[in-house]
Amino acid sequence: METGFLALPEPLVPFARYVPCRWSGDELHVSGQVAAREGEFPLRGRVGAELTLEQGRAAARQCALNVLAALQRELNDLSRIRALVKVTVFVATGPDFLEHHLVADGASEAFIEALGDVGEHARSAVGVARLPMDSPVEIEATALVG
């Protein structure tokens, strides 16, 4: 799959009991997407402990690509997105890590690269002790579709 200049991976198959996307009116909510590609985790661990900031940014980018792949599968056409409304980035970190926002930029940049101005979004970056399957990052998003 390609969008803009980005090649999208195949959408992740849910790792547990949830649906990848859920509609609420004109909003499409994307379940948390971890930093896996084709079911494999190229990076595992905590940013600022086992992983560097740059590795965290790469993991966030992979999560963003997985969000876009889920949206593509649900919509068949990303041009239907009127706005990427809200993105929440969860970052598994070591206890002294304070640059969650810079890790999250890896995802934000991918969304804007893929969607242009439509990809600009409100965002939260949250530090957590661990994430499922030891993914360094997990991202959920809400898109306004028209």
Side-chain angles (χ1 to χ4, degrees), residues 1-39:
M1 261 183 270
E2 287 203 26
T3 177
F5 299 106
L6 293 179
L8 297 180
E10 286 298 314
L12 294 178
V13 175
F15 290 96
R17 181 65 182 98
Y18 61 91
V19 294
C21 297
R22 180 71 179 199
W23 286 93
S24 178
D26 291 343
E27 289 186 340
L28 183 55
H29 299 266
V30 181
S31 294
Q33 300 292 306
V34 292
R37 186 173 184 103
E38 298 175 10

Side-chain angles (χ1 to χ4, degrees), residues 12-131:
L12 294 178
V13 175
F15 290 96
R17 181 65 182 98
Y18 61 91
V19 294
C21 297
R22 180 71 179 199
W23 286 93
S24 178
D26 291 343
E27 289 186 340
L28 183 55
H29 299 266
V30 181
S31 294
Q33 300 292 306
V34 292
R37 186 173 184 103
E38 298 175 10
E40 300 294 321
F41 288 82
L43 295 168
R44 290 185 193 248
R46 297 168 299 152
V47 182
E50 299 87 11
L51 302 174
T52 66
L53 171 62
E54 285 308 311
Q55 288 173 311
R57 287 175 53 85
R61 181 177 179 84
Q62 183 61 55
C63 292
L65 295 177
N66 291 338
V67 166
L68 291 165
L71 287 165
Q72 175 69 28
R73 173 166 281 166
E74 185 71 20
L75 298 172
N76 296 317
D77 183 0
L78 292 177
S79 70
R80 293 180 56 200
I81 298 172
R82 294 193 336 229
L84 188 60
V85 178
K86 177 71 191 267
V87 172
T88 305
V89 181
F90 301 94
V91 185
T93 68
D96 297 325
F97 188 79
L98 301 175
E99 296 180 314
H100 307 77
H101 59 294
L102 298 179
V103 172
D105 280 349
S108 294
E109 291 163 4
F111 288 130
I112 295 163
E113 185 180 339
L115 302 172
D117 290 344
V118 170
E120 293 281 359
H121 51 274
R123 183 183 85 188
S124 297
V126 181
V128 298
R130 289 284 197 198
L131 287 164

